[in-house]
Amino acid sequence: MSVSFHLYNTLHRAKQPFEPIVPGKVGLYTCGPTVYNYAHIGNLRTFLFEDLLTRTLRFLGNDVTWVMNVTDVGHMTSDGDAGEDKMAIAAQREQKTPWELARFYEDAFLVDMFALGIKRPDVLPRATEHVEEMIALNLELERRGYTYLTEEGLYFDTSKDDQYGKLARIKFDEQKHGAREDLFVDPGKRTPQDFILWFTNKPNHIMKWESPWGTGYPGWHIECSAMAMKYLGETFDIHCGGNDHIPVHNTNEIAQSECATGKTFARYWMHAAFLNVKGKMSKSKGNFLTVQTLKNSGYDPLAYRYLCLQAHYRSELELAWEWVDDARTKGQADSLDTAAASLKRLYERVARTSDEPLADQAAFDAAVTDVLTALCDDLNVPKAIGVLHSYGSPRLWRHFDAILGLEFETRAVQPAEVSVPSDVLELVDERQAARKAKDFARSDAIRAELLAMGWEVGDSPQGPTIKPAG
Ligand code: AMP
Ligand code: ZN
């Protein structure tokens, strides 16, 4: 079976055949969560896409190293340098140290990932544990003449990088100073797109480290460059994130990494479209949906996974969520109800292994190729699901669960055989005899007795039936 994997590379705005640097080995970096609150289900949609990508690449026989950073310092309330560190604000709000806060939400994040069937990334580096690498990278940028200092800290000078903005394809000279960040503009900053590599002069910031530019903390973008290169090398295969990361965060990652090494940073850039809950969902606005909200509302987290599987990762997904209580802990969405119901039907179908249309090996292999063809076309999971439905083969669904992650092994099972106690069986026989003798008073009394014992007796053309009541 050889279907070549094509993916949409944001860098080239085109689908391209994917060829890793070392055949059979894939280095994948994905921008991870900022752990100042629970992940919302929008963040998790992006991580779910990355999980599908990893699983597909592995299914195709690749040895994938998946690195996802944990941002526990330096992500400001804007994606640029303005505002305050999200971690610092949240720590104050929750009366915790930023470190306690980070560990708490990192743990919660891993629990949510698990609930959604997202495999644990191979490496989950924390920004606060890689400050040394970030300083080293900044020093290299300084040595190569890409930086300048202001009262606020060390900046990357984008005017020195003639490739700057190649990912986002933005014409920066048309932007006005301060246009990108209306919260605060450092008067020492030379152009609006220049960005912080290291913050200094923030005496109230709790998380601080010594550096050649003064005591302070790293900028958010440098985190990803330093950690990606540490674990995957200066040039690696794929970098992923949400669409919102294209114009600022990923653009800056490319600039600082490529200027520091003189080499290509990531070769393929993939970006996931947003999940929109009635148009807007934002972790910083405090009003957002979490996996816990789904659970409180009676939804199986895998129903959300199934919903996401049915939309292509480059298409926005709308979720019309209605809150059903004032405390905003419970709600309901028609599309999730539909996904939950069809997942239930799917489990029932996959459980009926005796009804297998693809028992013939050649037919099965051809069907596998059909599904893979969809998956290899820029991870077209919705199309693959359509193909799977059209075959209606429990065996085929199970084969692809390594990618789908719907846990057929444990969930698509026939209800267990119920063993009926012998005294119950005796009563069933007695009732049958009473019916034959047309002693219906007696047979009704036995039916009532059985019900009281927790068993429901019925009659079928083949004879009496018995099952647990309720
Ligand atoms: P953050 O925790 O804010 O650093 O974001 C984690 C990831 O979630 C990033 O890759 C974002 O691009 C992505 N993201 C943020 N909001 C959404 C959303 N509504 N839908 C899908 N992905 C999102
Ligand atoms: Zn990142």
Side-chain angles (χ1 to χ4, degrees):
M1 194 342 288
S2 81
V3 183
S4 82
F5 189 62
H6 282 64
L7 55 77
Y8 183 88
N9 189 349
T10 310
L11 200 55
H12 299 120
R13 302 288 191 279
K15 270 191 214 172
Q16 297 178 323
F18 172 64
E19 280 153 16
I21 303 167
V22 179
K25 276 193 182 295
V26 179
L28 171 71
Y29 185 86
T30 64
C31 290
T34 306
V35 284
Y36 70 110
N37 207 331
Y38 295 103
H40 60 58
I41 61 170
N43 302 128
L44 289 158
R45 180 191 181 200
T46 293
F47 302 137
L48 217 148
F49 141 68
E50 293 156 355
D51 174 63
L52 290 171
L53 176 66
T54 309
R55 284 169 177 263
T56 304
L57 290 168
R58 287 190 176 137
F59 193 93
L60 294 168
N62 296 286
D63 173 7
V64 182
T65 304
W66 178 10
V67 181
M68 178 189 279
N69 68 299
V70 174
T71 297
D72 52 2
V73 66
H75 190 172
M76 310 306 272
T77 44
S78 85
D79 273 357
D81 314 321
E84 276 183 75
D85 187 337
K86 290 179 177 182
M87 297 296 302
I89 297 179
Q92 212 168 25
R93 179 189 73 218
E94 300 194 13
Q95 300 283 299
K96 289 187 173 127
T97 71
W99 281 274
E100 286 166 348
L101 183 92
R103 296 303 168 265
F104 177 84
Y105 286 116
E106 182 186 312
D107 288 347
F109 167 70
L110 294 174
V111 169
D112 289 346
M113 294 266 282
F114 183 75
L116 289 173
I118 300 173
K119 294 251 188 229
R120 192 186 167 98
D122 303 289
V123 193
L124 278 159
R126 296 173 180 140
T128 50
E129 291 169 5
H130 295 79
V131 173
E132 209 177 302
E133 287 84 349
M134 297 172 206
I135 291 175
L137 197 53
N138 286 346
L139 276 172
E140 183 57 18
L141 286 169
E142 190 172 51
R143 194 183 71 77
R144 290 181 177 232
Y146 286 105
T147 65
Y148 62 89
L149 261 174
T150 75
E151 288 289 300
E152 290 295 313
L154 184 73
Y155 276 91
F156 181 90
D157 185 349
T158 54
S159 71
K160 299 269 168 58
D161 175 13
D162 56 9
Q163 301 264 312
Y164 186 75
K166 67 179 174 183
L167 179 73
R169 302 189 175 181
I170 300 171
K171 289 206 183 89
F172 286 100
D173 34 336
E174 287 168 8
Q175 288 198 344
K176 287 194 214 77
H177 187 78
R180 259 167 56 166
E181 297 142 10
D182 44 3
L183 297 169
F184 167 81
V185 182
D186 176 358
K189 190 168 162 174
R190 295 181 190 160
T191 60
Q193 62 270 22
D194 290 354
F195 57 90
I196 282 267
L197 298 167
W198 187 267
F199 287 96
T200 52
N201 294 325
K202 302 266 187 201
N204 296 329
H205 202 271
I206 299 170
M207 293 174 136
K208 284 191 286 249
W209 293 263
E210 295 303 318
S211 87
W213 313 282
T215 308
Y217 61 99
W220 173 40
H221 318 303
I222 201 73
E223 294 179 5
C224 282
S225 293
M227 292 188 276
M229 291 201 266
K230 170 163 181 174
Y231 294 101
L232 298 172
E234 290 177 345
T235 302
F236 57 93
D237 297 302
I238 311 178
H239 190 309
C240 300
N243 269 343
D244 57 326
H245 283 351
I246 300 171
V248 183
H249 180 55
N250 293 161
T251 285
N252 294 348
E253 273 183 66
I254 294 177
Q256 64 205 359
S257 308
E258 300 195 347
C259 289
T261 65
K263 296 177 191 160
T264 298
F265 179 48
R267 296 163 64 242
Y268 298 87
W269 286 83
M270 295 178 79
H271 290 94
F274 263 38
L275 170 84
N276 297 315
V277 177
K278 285 207 165 161
K280 188 104 195 118
M281 176 162 57
S282 148
K283 198 151 71 173
S284 55
K285 301 256 170 5
N287 179 13
F288 56 90
L289 292 182
T290 62
V291 170
Q292 192 56 49
T293 326
L294 298 184
K295 287 185 191 158
N296 292 346
S297 310
Y299 290 112
D300 173 356
L302 287 189
Y304 178 63
R305 183 177 177 100
Y306 193 51
L307 180 75
C308 291
L309 294 183
Q310 291 174 68
H312 189 258
Y313 79 89
R314 284 196 290 124
S315 307
E316 294 204 348
L317 181 59
E318 308 292 328
L319 188 77
W321 182 263
E322 297 295 335
W323 293 99
V324 298
D325 68 359
D326 292 340
R328 306 234 144 175
T329 57
K330 273 197 195 124
Q332 186 252 331
D334 290 350
S335 57
L336 263 175
D337 288 334
T338 308
S342 46
L343 184 59
K344 187 165 171 278
R345 278 197 306 277
L346 179 58
Y347 285 146
E348 285 162 10
R349 175 71 195 98
V350 176
R352 290 201 305 277
T353 42
S354 54
D355 176 11
E356 176 51 71
L358 292 176
D360 173 67
Q361 191 58 36
F364 179 77
D365 292 345
V368 167
T369 305
D370 270 359
V371 179
L372 277 180
T373 304
L375 289 169
C376 288
D377 179 13
D378 190 29
L379 209 65
N380 197 336
V381 183
K383 187 163 175 205
I385 287 188
V387 176
L388 281 158
H389 274 299
S390 72
Y391 281 108
S393 152
R395 189 180 167 205
L396 195 63
W397 278 106
R398 286 176 191 275
H399 186 69
F400 279 101
D401 205 37
I403 294 175
L404 303 173
L406 294 171
E407 299 175 10
F408 293 130
E409 196 61 45
T410 51
R411 294 177 173 234
V413 285
Q414 299 279 20
E417 286 276 317
V418 183
S419 74
V420 187
S422 58
D423 54 337
V424 171
L425 288 173
E426 275 165 27
L427 280 172
V428 172
D429 286 347
E430 222 175 287
R431 175 177 168 275
Q432 192 61 3
R435 275 167 59 86
K436 270 198 176 151
K438 300 206 183 317
D439 184 354
F440 296 114
R442 175 78 189 126
S443 82
D444 284 351
I446 297 174
R447 168 196 290 274
E449 195 178 336
L450 282 167
L451 258 184
M453 291 164 76
W455 295 89
E456 191 180 327
V457 67
D459 298 292
S460 79
Q462 285 78 36
T465 60
I466 184 83
K467 64 175 188 186

